[in-house]
Amino acid sequence: MANSARRNSGAAQAVRVVVAVLAALVIAFCGWSAYQYANGSDPLAFLGGNTLQTVEEGSSSSPSLELTSSSVTDDDVKGQIAQLKYGSDDVSLSTGDVNVVLGKDGIWIENASDSTADDAITSTARRAAALASWAHEANVKVSHVIWIAEDMAGSVRIVVSYPVGRESKNEDTAQILAGCDGYRISGDAYAALGKDHGFKQEAGNAPVLPDDAEVTVIEQATSQGEVLVKTTESHSVLVAQSQAGSGSGSGSSSSSPAQADASITVSVTVDGSAVGAGSSSASVSIPAGATVYDALCATGVSINASNTQFGLYVSSIGGLAEKHDGKSGWTYYVNGVMPMTSCANYKLAGGEKIVWRYVTGE
């Protein structure tokens, strides 16, 4: 009887030991998994499978980490305007003379001019065509450039919506305007042209502001005519109409241009130098509140990612993927610090320096 009791007691003790060891192993695995994920590795990679596309280190495939960001900032646009040319003709403007608004599908430019109506219309058409050509060559993913030229009192003289992707070289004003999605010329400016100008006062779809409201253009000639003398007040159609339409006070001024939809700029570096793949950097403009993953997507580089129990996991960037050894893979840093959260959960405030680094565990 006593021997039987001792055997039962020993068996129970052995079971408790086994359970304790298993519990410790589970806890250790969970901790290890969290560490692996935070360092850019898939903790379940050892299970194999083809869920994640993989390019092995030393593979014959050639990963491409070149970032082809199509995002620009208002400073990028202003910099281009400061050196803008239509063919061989200089049509540039000082950065202090323009307002720039970047929208979801367009670039809006506004400037005031004291030149003649003929010069203002010709220059505006040429500038819109030239900037659209630059946007196309720079792979900026917008469909049109909207250029608004005003007189010195802030009344619109001409507004054009020019399609990005339409090439225009050495065309006259009528030909450029014919290639627009739409344009509107004020009654005062059109009357000042005289008779032999070769184009109508308006054509195509009415150009709109970033909030989709039509740009206000006075169709009839007024008794006052255009104001070509600088006034003491500053005017902005982009600000005035946006405020009137939304009441939000959004818009831009020459001293403080703003985005149509609040956006931020961050820098992104993808570094695969650990395996000889080199590195590449880009500055991207993304919506306020976007995440580290959104910023990576904005660079245009190819990405493979999947959802895991720890959040979104990036397994491959530019064709360079983890090895299924649980050691190599991609990890990211924000301002030199490695966050302990998924890249899809880390929201950005603007100005951050993001680095995606391929690690080998060596």
Side-chain angles (χ1 to χ4, degrees), residues 126-196:
R126 287 183 164 193
R127 286 168 179 150
L131 190 64
S133 177
W134 165 78
H136 178 66
E137 293 174 359
N139 195 32
V140 181
K141 293 184 178 179
V142 295
S143 65
H144 48 261
V145 169
I146 297 88
W147 201 297
I148 306 169
E150 305 157 9
D151 68 10
M152 303 310 291
S155 180
V156 176
R157 309 178 76 182
I158 178 174
V159 54
V160 301
S161 176
Y162 196 90
V164 172
R166 179 187 183 271
E167 186 175 8
S168 175
K169 292 183 178 180
N170 301 318
E171 293 182 318
D172 61 28
T173 305
Q175 291 171 319
I176 298 175
L177 292 178
C180 289
D181 292 328
Y183 69 89
R184 298 290 185 271
I185 301 173
S186 73
D188 284 332
Y190 196 70
L193 290 175
K195 296 182 179 180
D196 300 324

Coordinates of all heavy atoms in Angstrom, one line a residue, residues 126-196:
R126 N 2.0 78.1 -71.7 CA 3.3 77.5 -71.8 C 3.8 76.9 -70.5 O 4.4 75.8 -70.5 CB 4.3 78.5 -72.3 CG 4.2 78.9 -73.8 CD 5.2 79.9 -74.2 NE 5.4 80.0 -75.6 CZ 6.4 80.6 -76.2 NH1 7.3 81.2 -75.5 NH2 6.5 80.6 -77.6
R127 N 3.6 77.6 -69.4 CA 4.1 77.2 -68.1 C 3.3 75.9 -67.7 O 4.0 75.0 -67.2 CB 3.9 78.3 -67.1 CG 4.9 79.4 -67.2 CD 4.5 80.6 -66.3 NE 5.5 81.6 -66.5 CZ 5.3 82.9 -66.3 NH1 4.0 83.4 -66.1 NH2 6.2 83.8 -66.5
A128 N 2.1 75.9 -67.9 CA 1.3 74.7 -67.6 C 1.8 73.5 -68.4 O 1.9 72.4 -67.9 CB -0.2 74.9 -67.8
A129 N 2.0 73.7 -69.7 CA 2.5 72.6 -70.5 C 3.9 72.1 -70.1 O 4.2 70.9 -70.1 CB 2.5 73.0 -72.0
A130 N 4.8 73.1 -69.8 CA 6.1 72.7 -69.4 C 6.2 72.0 -68.1 O 6.9 71.0 -67.9 CB 7.0 74.0 -69.3
L131 N 5.3 72.4 -67.1 CA 5.3 71.8 -65.8 C 4.7 70.4 -65.9 O 5.2 69.4 -65.3 CB 4.5 72.6 -64.8 CG 4.6 72.1 -63.3 CD1 6.1 72.2 -62.8 CD2 3.7 72.9 -62.4
A132 N 3.7 70.2 -66.8 CA 3.1 68.9 -67.0 C 4.1 68.0 -67.6 O 4.1 66.8 -67.3 CB 1.9 69.0 -67.9
S133 N 4.9 68.5 -68.5 CA 6.0 67.6 -69.1 C 7.0 67.2 -68.1 O 7.4 66.0 -68.1 CB 6.7 68.4 -70.2 OG 7.7 67.7 -70.8
W134 N 7.4 68.1 -67.2 CA 8.3 67.7 -66.1 C 7.6 66.6 -65.2 O 8.3 65.6 -64.8 CB 8.6 68.9 -65.3 CG 9.2 68.6 -63.9 CD1 10.5 68.2 -63.7 CD2 8.6 68.5 -62.7 NE1 10.7 67.9 -62.4 CE2 9.5 68.1 -61.7 CE3 7.3 68.8 -62.2 CZ2 9.2 68.0 -60.3 CZ3 7.0 68.7 -60.9 CH2 7.9 68.3 -60.0
A135 N 6.3 66.8 -64.8 CA 5.7 65.8 -64.0 C 5.6 64.5 -64.6 O 5.8 63.4 -64.0 CB 4.2 66.3 -63.7
H136 N 5.4 64.5 -65.9 CA 5.4 63.2 -66.7 C 6.8 62.5 -66.7 O 6.9 61.3 -66.4 CB 4.9 63.4 -68.1 CG 4.9 62.2 -69.0 ND1 4.0 61.1 -68.7 CD2 5.6 61.8 -70.0 CE1 4.2 60.2 -69.6 NE2 5.2 60.6 -70.4
E137 N 7.8 63.3 -66.9 CA 9.2 62.7 -66.9 C 9.6 62.3 -65.6 O 10.4 61.3 -65.4 CB 10.1 63.8 -67.5 CG 9.9 64.1 -69.0 CD 10.8 65.2 -69.5 OE1 11.5 65.8 -68.6 OE2 10.7 65.6 -70.7
A138 N 9.1 63.0 -64.5 CA 9.5 62.6 -63.2 C 8.6 61.5 -62.6 O 8.8 61.1 -61.4 CB 9.4 63.9 -62.3
N139 N 7.7 61.0 -63.4 CA 6.8 60.0 -63.0 C 5.9 60.4 -61.8 O 5.6 59.5 -60.9 CB 7.5 58.7 -62.7 CG 6.6 57.5 -62.6 OD1 5.6 57.4 -63.3 ND2 7.0 56.5 -61.7
V140 N 5.6 61.6 -61.7 CA 4.7 62.1 -60.7 C 3.2 61.6 -61.0 O 2.8 61.9 -62.1 CB 4.7 63.6 -60.6 CG1 3.7 64.1 -59.5 CG2 6.1 64.1 -60.3
K141 N 2.6 60.9 -60.1 CA 1.4 60.3 -60.4 C 0.2 61.2 -60.2 O -0.6 61.1 -59.3 CB 1.2 59.0 -59.6 CG 2.2 57.9 -60.0 CD 2.0 56.6 -59.3 CE 3.0 55.6 -59.7 NZ 2.9 54.3 -59.0
V142 N 0.1 62.2 -61.1 CA -1.0 63.1 -61.1 C -1.5 63.2 -62.6 O -0.7 62.9 -63.5 CB -0.7 64.5 -60.6 CG1 -0.4 64.5 -59.1 CG2 0.4 65.1 -61.4
S143 N -2.7 63.5 -62.8 CA -3.2 63.5 -64.2 C -3.2 64.9 -64.8 O -3.3 65.0 -66.1 CB -4.6 62.9 -64.2 OG -5.5 63.8 -63.5
H144 N -3.1 65.9 -64.1 CA -3.2 67.3 -64.7 C -2.5 68.3 -63.8 O -2.3 68.2 -62.6 CB -4.6 67.7 -64.9 CG -5.5 67.5 -63.7 ND1 -6.3 66.4 -63.5 CD2 -5.7 68.2 -62.6 CE1 -7.0 66.5 -62.4 NE2 -6.6 67.5 -61.8
V145 N -2.1 69.4 -64.5 CA -1.6 70.6 -63.9 C -2.6 71.7 -64.1 O -3.0 71.9 -65.2 CB -0.2 71.0 -64.5 CG1 0.2 72.4 -64.0 CG2 0.9 70.0 -64.1
I146 N -3.0 72.3 -63.0 CA -4.0 73.4 -63.1 C -3.2 74.7 -62.8 O -2.7 74.9 -61.7 CB -5.2 73.3 -62.2 CG1 -6.0 72.0 -62.5 CG2 -6.1 74.5 -62.2 CD1 -5.5 70.7 -61.9
W147 N -3.2 75.6 -63.7 CA -2.5 76.9 -63.5 C -3.4 78.0 -63.6 O -4.2 78.2 -64.5 CB -1.4 77.1 -64.6 CG -0.3 78.0 -64.2 CD1 -0.5 79.4 -63.9 CD2 1.1 77.8 -64.0 NE1 0.7 79.9 -63.5 CE2 1.7 79.0 -63.6 CE3 1.9 76.6 -64.1 CZ2 3.1 79.1 -63.3 CZ3 3.2 76.7 -63.9 CH2 3.8 77.9 -63.4
I148 N -3.4 78.8 -62.5 CA -4.3 80.0 -62.4 C -3.5 81.2 -62.4 O -2.6 81.4 -61.6 CB -5.1 79.9 -61.0 CG1 -5.8 78.6 -60.9 CG2 -6.1 81.1 -60.9 CD1 -6.4 78.3 -59.5
A149 N -3.8 82.1 -63.4 CA -3.1 83.4 -63.4 C -4.1 84.5 -63.1 O -5.2 84.5 -63.7 CB -2.5 83.6 -64.8
E150 N -3.8 85.4 -62.2 CA -4.7 86.5 -61.8 C -4.1 87.8 -62.1 O -2.9 88.0 -62.4 CB -4.9 86.3 -60.3 CG -5.4 85.0 -59.8 CD -5.1 84.7 -58.4 OE1 -4.6 85.6 -57.7 OE2 -5.2 83.5 -57.9
D151 N -5.0 88.8 -62.0 CA -4.5 90.2 -62.1 C -4.0 90.6 -60.7 O -4.0 89.8 -59.8 CB -5.5 91.2 -62.7 CG -6.7 91.4 -61.8 OD1 -6.7 91.0 -60.6 OD2 -7.7 92.0 -62.3
M152 N -3.6 91.8 -60.6 CA -3.0 92.2 -59.3 C -4.0 92.4 -58.2 O -3.7 92.6 -57.0 CB -2.2 93.5 -59.5 CG -1.1 93.4 -60.5 SD 0.0 92.0 -60.3 CE 0.9 92.4 -58.8
A153 N -5.3 92.3 -58.5 CA -6.4 92.4 -57.5 C -6.9 91.0 -57.1 O -7.8 90.9 -56.3 CB -7.5 93.3 -58.0
G154 N -6.3 90.0 -57.7 CA -6.8 88.6 -57.4 C -7.9 88.1 -58.3 O -8.4 87.0 -58.0
S155 N -8.2 88.8 -59.4 CA -9.3 88.3 -60.3 C -8.6 87.4 -61.3 O -7.6 87.7 -61.9 CB -10.0 89.5 -60.9 OG -11.0 89.0 -61.8
V156 N -9.2 86.2 -61.5 CA -8.6 85.3 -62.5 C -8.7 85.8 -63.9 O -9.7 86.2 -64.4 CB -9.4 83.9 -62.4 CG1 -8.8 82.9 -63.4 CG2 -9.3 83.3 -61.0
R157 N -7.5 85.8 -64.5 CA -7.4 86.2 -65.9 C -7.6 85.0 -66.8 O -8.2 85.0 -67.8 CB -6.1 86.9 -66.2 CG -5.7 88.0 -65.2 CD -4.4 88.6 -65.5 NE -4.4 89.5 -66.6 CZ -3.3 90.1 -67.1 NH1 -2.1 89.9 -66.5 NH2 -3.4 90.9 -68.1
I158 N -6.9 83.9 -66.5 CA -7.0 82.6 -67.2 C -6.7 81.5 -66.3 O -5.8 81.6 -65.4 CB -6.0 82.6 -68.4 CG1 -6.1 81.2 -69.1 CG2 -4.6 82.9 -68.0 CD1 -5.3 81.1 -70.4
V159 N -7.3 80.4 -66.4 CA -7.0 79.1 -65.7 C -7.1 78.0 -66.7 O -8.0 77.9 -67.6 CB -8.0 78.9 -64.6 CG1 -9.5 78.9 -65.1 CG2 -7.7 77.5 -63.9
V160 N -6.0 77.2 -66.7 CA -6.0 76.1 -67.6 C -5.7 74.8 -66.9 O -5.1 74.8 -65.8 CB -4.8 76.2 -68.7 CG1 -5.0 77.5 -69.5 CG2 -3.4 76.2 -68.0
S161 N -6.3 73.7 -67.4 CA -6.1 72.4 -66.8 C -5.4 71.6 -67.9 O -6.0 71.2 -68.9 CB -7.4 71.7 -66.4 OG -7.2 70.4 -66.0
Y162 N -4.1 71.3 -67.7 CA -3.3 70.7 -68.8 C -3.0 69.2 -68.4 O -2.6 69.0 -67.3 CB -2.0 71.5 -69.0 CG -1.3 71.1 -70.3 CD1 -1.6 71.8 -71.5 CD2 -0.4 70.0 -70.4 CE1 -1.0 71.5 -72.7 CE2 0.2 69.7 -71.6 CZ -0.1 70.4 -72.7 OH 0.5 70.1 -73.9
P163 N -3.2 68.3 -69.3 CA -3.0 66.9 -69.0 C -1.6 66.5 -68.9 O -0.8 66.8 -69.8 CB -3.7 66.2 -70.2 CG -3.6 67.1 -71.3 CD -3.7 68.5 -70.7
V164 N -1.2 65.8 -67.9 CA 0.2 65.3 -67.8 C 0.3 64.1 -68.7 O -0.6 63.2 -68.8 CB 0.4 64.8 -66.3 CG1 1.8 64.0 -66.2 CG2 0.4 66.0 -65.4
G165 N 1.3 64.1 -69.5 CA 1.5 63.1 -70.5 C 1.3 63.6 -71.9 O 1.8 62.9 -72.9
R166 N 0.7 64.7 -72.1 CA 0.6 65.3 -73.5 C 1.8 66.1 -73.8 O 2.1 67.1 -73.1 CB -0.7 66.2 -73.6 CG -0.8 66.8 -75.0 CD -1.9 67.8 -75.2 NE -2.0 68.3 -76.5 CZ -1.3 69.4 -77.0 NH1 -0.4 70.0 -76.2 NH2 -1.4 69.7 -78.3
E167 N 2.5 65.8 -74.8 CA 3.8 66.5 -75.1 C 3.4 67.7 -75.9 O 2.6 67.7 -76.9 CB 4.7 65.6 -75.9 CG 6.0 66.1 -76.2 CD 7.0 65.2 -76.9 OE1 6.5 64.1 -77.3 OE2 8.2 65.5 -77.1
S168 N 4.1 68.8 -75.6 CA 3.9 70.0 -76.3 C 5.2 70.7 -76.5 O 5.9 71.0 -75.6 CB 3.0 71.0 -75.5 OG 2.9 72.3 -76.2
K169 N 5.6 70.8 -77.8 CA 6.9 71.5 -78.1 C 6.7 72.5 -79.2 O 6.2 72.1 -80.3 CB 7.9 70.4 -78.5 CG 8.4 69.5 -77.4 CD 9.5 68.6 -77.9 CE 10.0 67.7 -76.8 NZ 11.0 66.7 -77.3
N170 N 7.1 73.7 -79.0 CA 7.0 74.7 -80.0 C 5.7 74.9 -80.6 O 5.5 75.2 -81.8 CB 8.1 74.4 -81.1 CG 9.5 74.3 -80.6 OD1 9.9 75.1 -79.7 ND2 10.2 73.3 -81.0
E171 N 4.6 74.8 -79.8 CA 3.3 75.1 -80.2 C 2.9 76.5 -79.9 O 3.5 77.1 -79.0 CB 2.3 74.1 -79.5 CG 2.4 72.7 -79.9 CD 1.4 71.8 -79.2 OE1 1.1 72.0 -78.0 OE2 0.8 70.9 -79.9
D172 N 2.0 77.1 -80.7 CA 1.5 78.4 -80.4 C 0.4 78.3 -79.3 O 0.0 77.2 -78.9 CB 1.0 79.2 -81.6 CG -0.1 78.5 -82.3 OD1 -0.9 77.8 -81.6 OD2 -0.3 78.6 -83.5
T173 N 0.0 79.5 -78.8 CA -1.0 79.5 -77.7 C -2.2 78.7 -78.1 O -2.8 77.9 -77.2 CB -1.3 80.9 -77.4 OG1 -0.1 81.6 -77.1 CG2 -2.2 81.0 -76.1
A174 N -2.7 78.9 -79.3 CA -4.0 78.2 -79.7 C -3.8 76.7 -79.6 O -4.7 76.0 -79.2 CB -4.4 78.7 -81.1
Q175 N -2.7 76.2 -80.1 CA -2.4 74.8 -80.1 C -2.3 74.2 -78.7 O -2.8 73.1 -78.4 CB -1.2 74.5 -80.9 CG -1.3 74.7 -82.4 CD 0.0 74.6 -83.1 OE1 1.1 75.1 -82.6 NE2 0.0 74.0 -84.3
I176 N -1.6 74.9 -77.8 CA -1.5 74.5 -76.4 C -2.9 74.4 -75.8 O -3.2 73.5 -75.1 CB -0.6 75.4 -75.6 CG1 0.9 75.4 -76.2 CG2 -0.5 75.0 -74.2 CD1 1.8 76.4 -75.6
L177 N -3.7 75.5 -75.9 CA -5.0 75.5 -75.3 C -5.9 74.4 -75.9 O -6.7 73.9 -75.2 CB -5.6 76.9 -75.5 CG -5.0 78.1 -74.8 CD1 -5.7 79.4 -75.2 CD2 -5.0 77.8 -73.3
A178 N -5.7 74.1 -77.2 CA -6.5 73.1 -77.8 C -6.2 71.7 -77.1 O -7.0 70.8 -77.2 CB -6.3 73.0 -79.3
G179 N -5.0 71.6 -76.6 CA -4.6 70.3 -76.0 C -5.0 70.2 -74.5 O -4.7 69.2 -73.9
C180 N -5.5 71.3 -74.0 CA -5.9 71.3 -72.5 C -7.2 70.4 -72.3 O -8.0 70.2 -73.2 CB -6.2 72.7 -72.1 SG -4.8 73.8 -71.9
D181 N -7.3 69.9 -71.1 CA -8.5 69.3 -70.7 C -9.7 70.3 -70.7 O -10.8 70.0 -70.9 CB -8.4 68.7 -69.3 CG -7.5 67.5 -69.3 OD1 -7.4 66.8 -70.3 OD2 -6.8 67.3 -68.2
G182 N -9.3 71.6 -70.4 CA -10.2 72.7 -70.3 C -9.5 73.9 -69.9 O -8.5 73.9 -69.2
Y183 N -10.1 75.1 -70.3 CA -9.6 76.4 -69.9 C -10.7 77.4 -69.8 O -11.7 77.2 -70.5 CB -8.4 76.8 -70.8 CG -8.8 77.2 -72.2 CD1 -9.2 78.5 -72.5 CD2 -8.8 76.3 -73.2 CE1 -9.6 78.9 -73.8 CE2 -9.2 76.6 -74.5 CZ -9.6 77.9 -74.8 OH -10.0 78.2 -76.0
R184 N -10.5 78.5 -69.1 CA -11.4 79.6 -69.0 C -10.6 80.9 -69.0 O -9.6 81.0 -68.3 CB -12.3 79.5 -67.8 CG -13.2 78.3 -67.7 CD -14.3 78.3 -68.7 NE -15.2 77.2 -68.6 CZ -15.1 76.0 -69.2 NH1 -14.0 75.8 -70.0 NH2 -16.0 75.1 -69.1
I185 N -11.0 81.9 -69.8 CA -10.4 83.2 -69.9 C -11.4 84.2 -69.4 O -12.6 84.1 -69.9 CB -9.9 83.5 -71.3 CG1 -8.9 82.4 -71.7 CG2 -9.2 84.9 -71.3 CD1 -8.4 82.6 -73.2
S186 N -11.0 85.2 -68.6 CA -12.0 86.2 -68.2 C -12.4 87.1 -69.3 O -11.7 87.2 -70.3 CB -11.3 87.0 -67.1 OG -10.4 87.9 -67.6
G187 N -13.6 87.7 -69.1 CA -14.1 88.6 -70.1 C -13.2 89.8 -70.4 O -13.0 90.2 -71.5
D188 N -12.6 90.3 -69.3 CA -11.7 91.4 -69.4 C -10.4 91.1 -70.2 O -10.0 91.8 -71.1 CB -11.3 92.0 -68.1 CG -12.4 92.8 -67.4 OD1 -13.2 93.4 -68.1 OD2 -12.5 92.8 -66.2
A189 N -9.9 89.9 -69.9 CA -8.6 89.5 -70.6 C -8.9 89.1 -72.0 O -8.1 89.5 -72.9 CB -8.0 88.3 -69.9
Y190 N -10.0 88.5 -72.3 CA -10.4 88.1 -73.6 C -10.6 89.3 -74.5 O -10.2 89.4 -75.7 CB -11.6 87.2 -73.6 CG -11.8 86.4 -74.9 CD1 -10.9 85.4 -75.3 CD2 -12.8 86.7 -75.8 CE1 -11.1 84.7 -76.5 CE2 -13.0 86.0 -77.0 CZ -12.1 85.0 -77.3 OH -12.3 84.3 -78.5
A191 N -11.3 90.3 -73.9 CA -11.6 91.6 -74.7 C -10.3 92.3 -75.0 O -10.2 93.0 -76.1 CB -12.5 92.4 -73.8
A192 N -9.3 92.2 -74.1 CA -8.1 92.9 -74.3 C -7.2 92.3 -75.4 O -6.3 92.9 -75.9 CB -7.3 93.0 -73.0
L193 N -7.5 91.1 -75.8 CA -6.8 90.4 -76.8 C -7.0 91.0 -78.2 O -6.1 90.9 -79.1 CB -7.1 88.9 -76.9 CG -6.6 88.1 -75.7 CD1 -7.2 86.7 -75.8 CD2 -5.1 88.1 -75.5
G194 N -8.2 91.6 -78.5 CA -8.5 92.0 -79.8 C -9.2 90.9 -80.5 O -9.8 90.0 -79.9
K195 N -9.1 90.8 -81.8 CA -9.8 89.8 -82.6 C -9.0 88.7 -83.1 O -9.5 87.6 -83.2 CB -10.5 90.5 -83.8 CG -11.6 91.6 -83.4 CD -12.2 92.2 -84.6 CE -13.3 93.2 -84.2 NZ -13.9 93.8 -85.4
D196 N -7.8 88.9 -83.5 CA -7.0 87.8 -84.1 C -6.2 87.0 -83.1 O -5.0 87.2 -83.0 CB -6.1 88.4 -85.2 CG -6.9 89.2 -86.3 OD1 -8.0 88.7 -86.6 OD2 -6.4 90.2 -86.7

